[in-house]
Amino acid sequence: MALVSGYHHLTLCTDGVQEDYDFYTKVLGLYSVKRTVLFDGTIPVYHLYYGSRNGDASTIITTFPFRKPAVFGKRGTNQSKIIQQAIPVGSADYWIDRLNGKGVEAAKISRFGITRVAFKHPCGIPHELVESPADNRPSIVNEAQGVSAAHGIKGIYGAAIAVFDRTAMDDFLSVGMSMKKEADSDEGLMFSVPNAGGPSSMVEVLHEPTGPQGTWTLAGGTIHHLALNTGNEENQLKLKAHIEGLGFTDVSDQKDRNYFKSCYVRSPGGALFEIAWSVEGGWALDEPADQIGTTLVFPPWFEDRRQELIAGLEPATF
């Protein structure tokens, strides 16, 4: 039995908070699911969550906008490179017109025989909207932003990782994470993430041996981690033990993210993976279920720092 079922979320470190919020909600038509702060370290930085209206599993993109603390990273190889979201087959042209019309340069491309729309987040991180024929999830409809069921994003398709050595990543993903290799060509490797809905979410490995080493720290302009969904704590701890048994003994202890519990491991291809499961109550722990993502909220252990954190955040209109 697989210990993972699809993605839990993807997390990026971006630049300005206002451009980040407008990009995901007004351009891509996602909903604000949670507005809180970075739990690690001491610098006040927003942690913004976007996804379906109810914050369904495998739709969530999260960001740390780092413009105010002015911490920026370097994109390169041995690092996660591209954020990928699934769209209905036949909707690529709609998204090219929509993105270009909103000032986001977009073009149609193909990799592994699958049509995609390639564009960039305002901070420069590459994104793709992928016409995924195997994805049977409903589209995220956002009437206020003019996004219908015929075109709406379905959720996470996956991510592409640029690596120096693709063999080491092949072993990590297939043996360590029990993913199935779906393609192996001069375009790279493609692995399907175990998923009850079938092979609809992927990890792609792009061999880029001559590029500079990318940043691994929390730093603007880079992807921070890819989170897989274990569904529950038992699966998470079994997978942690399995990975440690392969020699990846640097899997982190379980961290409390308020809405979910997480462990992290650095893959040999540089990408940071998280294995996570949502706690009972999820996004509705600190906001009414029909109003998630509408207020700034803090975990209980930050309540004594509330005013300090608010004062340190970049101004923005949500």
Side-chain angles (χ1 to χ4, degrees):
M1 178 180 174
L3 300 175
V4 165
S5 182
Y7 280 91
H8 191 275
H9 63 271
L10 305 176
T11 293
L12 306 71
C13 300
T14 59
D15 187 11
V17 61
Q18 190 67 64
E19 66 184 22
D20 182 81
Y21 184 83
D22 291 347
F23 175 75
Y24 282 114
T25 61
K26 297 178 181 178
V27 177
L28 296 184
L30 302 182
Y31 291 88
S32 174
V33 172
K34 190 61 61 181
R35 183 161 23 114
T36 183
V37 293
L38 173 63
F39 291 177
D40 296 334
T42 58
I43 300 174
V45 175
Y46 272 115
H47 192 181
L48 305 178
Y49 292 71
Y50 310 99
S52 66
R53 187 189 300 270
N54 299 318
D56 298 313
S58 82
T59 68
I60 302 297
I61 304 290
T62 94
T63 65
F64 302 121
F66 264 92
R67 177 172 293 178
K68 186 167 184 181
V71 179
F72 301 105
K74 180 176 65 178
R75 287 189 291 276
T77 196
N78 238 32
Q79 181 191 59
S80 294
K81 178 176 182 177
I82 307 172
I83 295 294
Q84 301 167 329
Q85 295 165 290
I87 55 174
V89 172
S91 64
D93 289 338
Y94 164 85
W95 280 103
I96 290 172
D97 291 343
R98 179 180 174 91
L99 289 163
N100 285 326
K102 292 181 177 295
V104 180
E105 186 176 350
K108 186 184 293 186
I109 65 169
S110 176
R111 188 183 315 113
F112 301 120
I114 300 173
T115 299
R116 303 141 190 265
V117 178
F119 58 106
K120 293 180 180 177
H121 183 282
C123 75
I125 294 175
H127 279 52
E128 291 177 355
L129 298 178
V130 183
E131 287 192 354
S132 175
D135 197 323
N136 57 14
R137 293 175 293 179
S139 295
I140 299 172
V141 176
N142 192 328
E143 295 176 350
Q145 300 302 330
V147 180
S148 69
H151 307 117
I153 289 171
K154 292 171 172 282
I156 296 169
Y157 175 81
I161 304 166
V163 300
F164 291 125
D165 176 8
R166 67 184 215 164
T167 301
M169 277 302 285
D170 189 336
D171 293 341
F172 177 81
L173 295 174
S174 58
V175 179
M177 294 295 191
S178 300
M179 296 184 188
K180 179 183 177 184
K181 189 187 297 182
E182 302 285 352
D184 184 345
S185 71
D186 58 4
E187 292 184 305
L189 305 173
M190 182 170 69
F191 297 84
S192 59
V193 179
N195 192 329
S200 57
S201 53
M202 305 291 165
V203 174
E204 297 177 350
V205 178
L206 309 178
H207 190 216
E208 298 183 0
T210 59
Q213 168 68 54
T215 303
W216 287 359
T217 54
L218 283 165
T222 61
I223 299 171
H224 188 253
H225 64 259
L226 317 176
L228 303 174
N229 188 10
T230 66
N232 57 51
E233 185 171 37
E234 181 181 4
N235 285 346
Q236 181 190 57
L237 297 181
K238 285 182 177 178
L239 183 54
K240 181 177 188 291
H242 170 67
I243 298 169
E244 288 173 334
L246 296 175
F248 294 94
T249 53
D250 56 342
V251 183
S252 76
D253 292 335
Q254 187 187 78
K255 295 182 180 295
D256 186 353
R257 299 314 192 187
N258 206 23
Y259 316 102
F260 50 92
K261 302 291 180 71
S262 305
C263 299
Y264 300 84
V265 59
R266 182 73 63 184
S267 69
L272 182 65
F273 278 82
E274 175 180 339
I275 51 176
W277 55 277
S278 297
V279 302
E280 186 73 23
W283 309 120
L285 280 176
D286 49 13
E287 291 177 298
D290 60 352
Q291 297 178 41
I292 59 173
T294 61
T295 61
L296 177 61
V297 292
F298 297 88
W301 56 90
F302 275 179
E303 281 301 326
D304 61 342
R305 296 183 58 202
R306 172 183 285 268
Q307 294 309 314
E308 169 209 340
L309 291 170
I310 291 174
L313 294 173
E314 181 185 345
T317 301
F318 297 100

